[in-house]
Amino acid sequence: MEIKGSATFNKKTCKEIVHAVYPNRTPAVILSSIIFILLFILGIIIFFKIDRALSYMILMFSVISGVIAYMFIKLPSIQYASMGSSKDAVCNYIFYDDELHTQMTYVDGRIISTSAVKYDIIFKVIENSEYIFIFQNKRSLYIIEKSTVNPDELDELIAFLKKQCPMKYKKSKK
C-alpha cells in the first residue's frame, strides 16, 4: 500500500490543530466569554454601589475568564506568527503498510525534515470532515488534509488507520 496526502501549515491549519489538541475547550471558551462579560459588568456595578472587596473578587474572576477565552481564540494566530520561515510549509505524507513517511518542505521547496513513524507508537487518531489528525502524544501530531488524498484512496486510508489503531481512532462531530 502507498497512499499520499499532505497539509499546508497556514492559519487555518494552526486553528484546527489547537481545536484538535483541546477538543473540549470550545464550549468552555464560549462559556468563559459569557461569564467574563457578565461578571465584568456586575463587578463594575457592585464597585460603585455596594462592596469593594466583593467587586474586586468578581473583577479578578472575570479577568481570568477573559484571558482564557482570549488565549484560546488568539492562540492559533500566535502560533502561526511564531512559525517564522516555516509559515505555509508543506508536509507530505506517504502511508505504507508498516510505517508512515513524512517530509516537510519550505515554500521554496527546501526540505526541513523527514521522518518515518511506526504505527504502533501512535497515541490516537481523530478524523473530522476536513482533516485527519495522527497524534504521537497528547500535544504532538501530524495533520493530513483529506482534500489532498486521492478520493479513491481516502476510504482505504481511513479503514487502514482504524485497523492499525482500533482503540485509538475517533471520528469527530465537526
Side-chain angles (χ1 to χ4, degrees), residues 6 14 16 20 27 47 56-57 69 79 88 94 97 100 103 119 123 129 132 136 139 148:
S6 66
C14 288
E16 291 295 329
F47 183 78
Y56 286 135
M57 282 187 356
Q79 285 182 329
D88 300 317
I94 303 175
D97 289 327
L100 166 63
Q103 181 180 53
Y119 295 111
F123 178 71
S129 60
I132 299 172
Q136 289 184 301
R139 303 283 183 257
T148 64

Side-chain angles (χ1 to χ4, degrees), residues 37 57 67 69-70 90 93 95 100 105-106 121-122 128-130 157 165:
I37 292 166
M57 282 187 356
V67 168
Y70 176 79
V90 176
Y93 304 94
F95 293 86
L100 166 63
T105 56
Y106 290 113
I121 69 161
I122 291 175
N128 70 19
S129 60
E130 297 180 56
L157 174 61
C165 315

Side-chain angles (χ1 to χ4, degrees), residues 115-127:
S115 66
V117 178
K118 298 285 185 188
Y119 295 111
D120 59 349
I121 69 161
I122 291 175
F123 178 71
K124 70 180 171 180
V125 178
I126 297 176
E127 172 196 357

